Amino acid sequence: MDDGGAGTRLAQVEQDLARLLVTLADGRREGRESLSLARLAKRCALPMSTLLRYLSVLTDAGWISLEDGQRGLRLARLTDAGVSQCDSLR
């Protein structure tokens, strides 16, 4: 039965979410506890609207926290639960 591409879209979303978590984990290893949303979107190659949608899901899951940084920037960082989840992806 044809799912209309839903399976393909779901696989892409899963890959995007994993890439987002890994990108934040890589930032931590580089000494950046958090990344601006603009930098995160660029590193993940995601449109800002998609990034914001994904961040909402990951924040609700408790894997990412959003905070206000200097100069009015919004910052994203992995929580301890997010670090554990990211470790399980590797």
Side-chain angles (χ1 to χ4, degrees):
M1 176 182 281
D2 183 15
D3 65 4
T8 302
R9 286 190 301 272
L10 180 58
Q12 182 62 53
V13 168
E14 290 172 347
Q15 289 174 2
D16 290 346
L17 291 171
R19 186 170 64 246
L20 180 55
L21 290 172
V22 168
T23 299
L24 284 168
D26 289 346
R28 283 174 62 111
R29 276 192 297 288
E30 295 167 2
R32 295 178 181 272
E33 192 64 27
S34 54
L35 293 173
S36 72
L37 300 191
R39 178 169 289 181
L40 189 55
K42 185 174 184 176
R43 284 189 177 191
C44 290
L46 292 171
M48 185 60 74
S49 59
T50 302
L51 176 68
L52 292 172
R53 193 169 50 253
Y54 290 164
L55 288 176
S56 175
V57 170
L58 294 172
T59 299
D60 289 347
W63 297 347
I64 289 179
S65 69
L66 297 174
E67 51 203 43
D68 293 323
Q70 297 175 354
R71 301 184 315 255
L73 294 176
R74 292 287 288 166
L75 303 173
R77 72 171 183 80
L78 283 176
T79 63
D80 291 338
V83 171
S84 295
Q85 184 62 32
C86 189
D87 289 345
S88 75
L89 294 171
R90 292 179 187 242

